[in-house]
Amino acid sequence: MTSSAVVHDSVEKLSDVVIRFAGDSGDGMQLTGTQFTNTSAVLGNDLSTLPDFPAEIRAPAGTLPGVSAFQVRIADYDIHTPGDAPNVLVAMNPAALKTNIADLEVGGILIVNSNEFNKRNLTKAYYTENPLTNGSLEGYRLFEVELTKLTRAALDEMGLGNRDRDRCKNLFALGMIYWMFSRPLDNTEAWLAKKFASKPEIIEANLRAMKAGWNYCDITGAFQTSRYEVVAAPLPAGTYRNINGNSALALGLVTASRRSGLPLFLGSYPITPASSVLHELARYKHYGVTTFQAEDEIAAVCAAVGASFGGSLAITTTSGPGLALKSEAINLALITELPLVVIDVQRAGPSTGMPTKTEQTDLLQAMFGRNGESPMPVIAPSSPGDCFSVAIEACRMAIQYMVPVLLLSDGYLANGSEPWRLPEVEDLPDLRLEHHGDAEDFQPYRRNPETLARNWAVPGTPGLEHRIGGLEKQDVTGSVSYDPDNHQHMTRLRAEKVERIARTIPPLEVDGDSGGRLLVLGWGSTAGAITGAVNLARKEGVKVSRAHLRHLNPLPSNLGDVLASFEQVLLPEINTGQLAMILRARFLKDIITLSKVQGKPFMRGEILAKIHQLTGASEG
């Protein structure tokens, strides 16, 4: 039986829904959530996702640290976040229930794999009583499903052992949710056929499990009042794909390479959550991309600096601990004035911290985490799709101004996904830049009078022989210089070059009134929650404006005027107030900090509550 075999009249229309799949790290929750997301994207829903990985590589099965979750929100209108509280929770074992039940909305749908609620698993999850029988779940619409038993029964005829059959129970759960939200099975069927083309037995087992989940809901009377539909969103015309932040970064870098005519080189060392940028770029060798997996972070960035010296568009990727290790070599690129894009996909710290959780706590390190006076451009994307545009912009600044650039993404953007409209080629910026080729009176530090960028001469070009290194440079000649006046002059020149980038970035746009009582300002991945909270506040009649910073150094030239136009400025940050501290010092404006350091992104409700507090609006 396929998804179109039975037609039901009692399908309730929803504008949006938030679903969370949770289970052991071996239960395939990321795959399940991704398949539901991809199917919803094909159907035209707007969507936003929040994968939540365990930090341990392989925590003991059934334990709280081993829980993996995937939250997806689908809607028939433009949305900005993966939702505050799930409306539906699928819990594959007691540990998944224990770690996620507090987030489920009151009255929400709770589907549990009742076969896993045995004494052993309850003990692992620190339950002293079975929550399925002690009345603690009475506030939810509870569906107890023998997922393990039913999956095994569906695959009985295939002769598989229990271990192999149990690997398919996530597809049984997916089939149930497909039925519940009127999703077709076709997209996942095609994915399975492609993914396991050489393993027909795996295809057949997963298809049987998924169809069994669908049929179970279709036949079981308990689910007949729980069928919903979310229709397509009216998105602007164009070709869309579902994309996560790291994939968008990779595509943006390849695009910048093609638009500049420069070969792309990535020097990287694997580190969560940045590693998939390396994996993605390794697939684009046919576009002139070279990827180098180094033995450590220092080797990775040094290789990238060398590639830049050789005339390539050079990139290095990392997360917070790796950025600390790279700092000396980044300063080498800064003093030699070579273009380099450093991508920091931030995670919770300090030290190893929480490798799979998100934060915005590397801003001060990005701004000041190098010895000496060493200003660098810093830029941050605001959504998974925006990572594409920001990668291109970082490359533009690097090659146009001959300077290393820091791009601050984070784990929330890296792993989260949304529909992304493919840009038209003619709308992409022209980044073409010719390496210096005039040997007449060549000097390596002779500068462009507009940008202050020095000449970029490729080694081996006749007449352009030169030597650069980490010691202070004499202006124009690039020779080693210990002259104190020259050092001060070069320090100011490097700073002025970064400041001049502000001439080529757009002014900060304010959404709403250009002045008034309250501005909610943000940067990076807080954009979605801020937008959602401000929109909710406006529906309640609250006067509030918002603005979001992409360029953090240099700042937009009109930022001071924008801040001065509002009585209060609220700045939500997933740190303890790092940008707020910078803005207070720069503009002498009191910035109200809303801080969150939990390894989790902001929820709309948290920011809305602060807006209510500041404006005196009613919480009701």
Side-chain angles (χ1 to χ4, degrees), residues 22-29 32 58 92-93 166-167 169-170:
D24 193 71
S25 58
D27 283 338
M29 294 296 94
T32 307
R58 188 63 173 134
M92 302 293 281
N93 61 18
D166 288 350
R167 288 173 178 165
K169 62 188 178 186
N170 62 321

Side-chain angles (χ1 to χ4, degrees), residues 299-611:
V301 65
C302 286
V305 173
S308 179
F309 180 56
S312 293
L313 177 57
I315 317 294
T316 188
T317 55
T318 191
S319 190
L323 184 62
L325 290 168
K326 291 180 188 290
S327 61
E328 184 177 2
I330 293 172
N331 247 4
L332 175 62
L334 189 145
I335 197 169
T336 55
E337 299 187 47
L338 287 168
L340 173 70
V341 175
V342 182
I343 296 175
D344 174 15
V345 185
Q346 300 168 94
R347 73 190 204 191
S351 188
T352 309
M354 298 192 292
T356 60
K357 311 304 178 184
T358 195
E359 273 184 6
Q360 292 182 307
T361 45
D362 292 346
L363 177 60
L364 293 182
Q365 181 179 202
M367 296 283 283
F368 309 115
R370 295 165 299 280
N371 68 297
E373 295 285 345
S374 50
M376 280 176 56
V378 180
I379 188 170
S382 59
S383 71
D386 190 44
C387 288
F388 174 83
S389 300
V390 166
I392 295 174
E393 172 67 356
C395 293
R396 178 196 71 83
M397 292 190 293
I399 60 181
Q400 184 177 353
Y401 287 86
M402 292 292 288
V403 64
V405 177
L406 254 162
L407 189 159
L408 289 178
S409 181
D410 60 38
Y412 173 45
L413 297 181
N415 298 315
S417 61
E418 65 179 356
W420 174 65
R421 185 171 63 168
L422 274 62
E424 299 294 333
V425 174
E426 56 268 22
D427 295 335
L428 296 169
D430 185 351
L431 304 181
R432 284 174 293 181
L433 174 76
E434 292 187 7
H435 293 116
H436 190 78
D438 186 4
E440 184 177 348
D441 192 29
F442 168 71
Q443 296 288 355
Y445 279 77
R446 180 169 285 129
R447 299 177 184 277
N448 179 308
E450 179 64 25
T451 64
L452 297 183
R454 74 171 186 88
N455 295 323
W456 191 9
V458 177
T461 306
L464 304 185
E465 296 83 1
H466 65 289
R467 180 175 58 193
I468 58 176
L471 293 172
E472 181 60 282
K473 305 287 173 279
Q474 185 182 56
D475 192 17
V476 183
T477 69
S479 300
V480 173
S481 173
Y482 296 102
D483 179 74
D485 292 332
N486 177 77
H487 176 54
Q488 178 154 321
H489 172 66
M490 293 297 283
T491 297
R492 294 188 184 278
L493 266 180
R494 290 188 287 264
E496 173 63 20
K497 181 171 65 168
V498 172
E499 286 301 316
R500 288 195 182 191
I501 294 175
R503 300 177 181 179
T504 62
I505 64 177
L508 180 66
E509 294 184 2
V510 177
D511 180 70
D513 294 339
S514 58
R517 183 170 181 181
L518 177 63
L519 172 72
V520 184
L521 182 67
W523 68 276
S525 64
T526 58
I530 289 173
T531 301
V534 168
N535 288 347
L536 289 174
R538 288 173 178 168
K539 287 181 180 179
E540 299 169 351
V542 179
K543 281 280 191 179
V544 57
S545 300
R546 68 174 179 86
H548 209 76
L549 290 166
R550 169 182 280 189
H551 296 83
L552 301 172
N553 192 43
L555 292 161
S557 56
N558 68 328
L559 177 57
D561 293 336
V562 169
L563 296 180
S565 300
F566 289 88
E567 296 175 23
Q568 295 178 304
V569 177
L570 172 65
L571 179 51
E573 294 187 77
I574 311 177
N575 57 46
T576 55
Q578 296 186 12
L579 181 60
M581 181 175 67
I582 293 171
L583 297 184
R584 288 190 194 103
R586 175 76 178 269
F587 299 105
L588 303 180
K589 173 79 174 183
D590 184 30
I591 308 294
I592 301 167
T593 294
L594 178 60
S595 178
K596 183 174 184 176
V597 194
Q598 300 174 0
K600 298 179 179 180
F602 274 108
M603 295 188 291
R604 292 177 304 167
E606 294 170 324
I607 298 174
L608 180 62
K610 190 66 176 180
I611 292 173

Side-chain angles (χ1 to χ4, degrees), residues 3 119 134 140 164 179 252 255 344 379 472 486 528 590 608:
S3 60
K119 185 176 181 180
N134 68 0
Y140 309 102
D164 289 330
W179 183 92
T255 301
D344 174 15
I379 188 170
E472 181 60 282
N486 177 77
D590 184 30
L608 180 62

Side-chain angles (χ1 to χ4, degrees), residues 182-196:
S182 309
R183 313 276 99 174
L185 308 183
D186 311 32
N187 189 67
T188 299
E189 289 175 353
W191 177 82
L192 287 168
K194 182 178 179 180
K195 177 72 173 178
F196 302 106

Side-chain angles (χ1 to χ4, degrees), residues 153-193:
L155 305 182
D156 255 347
E157 298 175 4
M158 295 191 65
L160 300 174
N162 283 342
R163 184 174 181 181
D164 289 330
R165 285 188 284 180
D166 288 350
R167 288 173 178 165
C168 301
K169 62 188 178 186
N170 62 321
L171 268 293
F172 189 100
L174 179 61
M176 292 176 61
I177 300 300
Y178 275 163
W179 183 92
M180 188 172 288
F181 291 96
S182 309
R183 313 276 99 174
L185 308 183
D186 311 32
N187 189 67
T188 299
E189 289 175 353
W191 177 82
L192 287 168

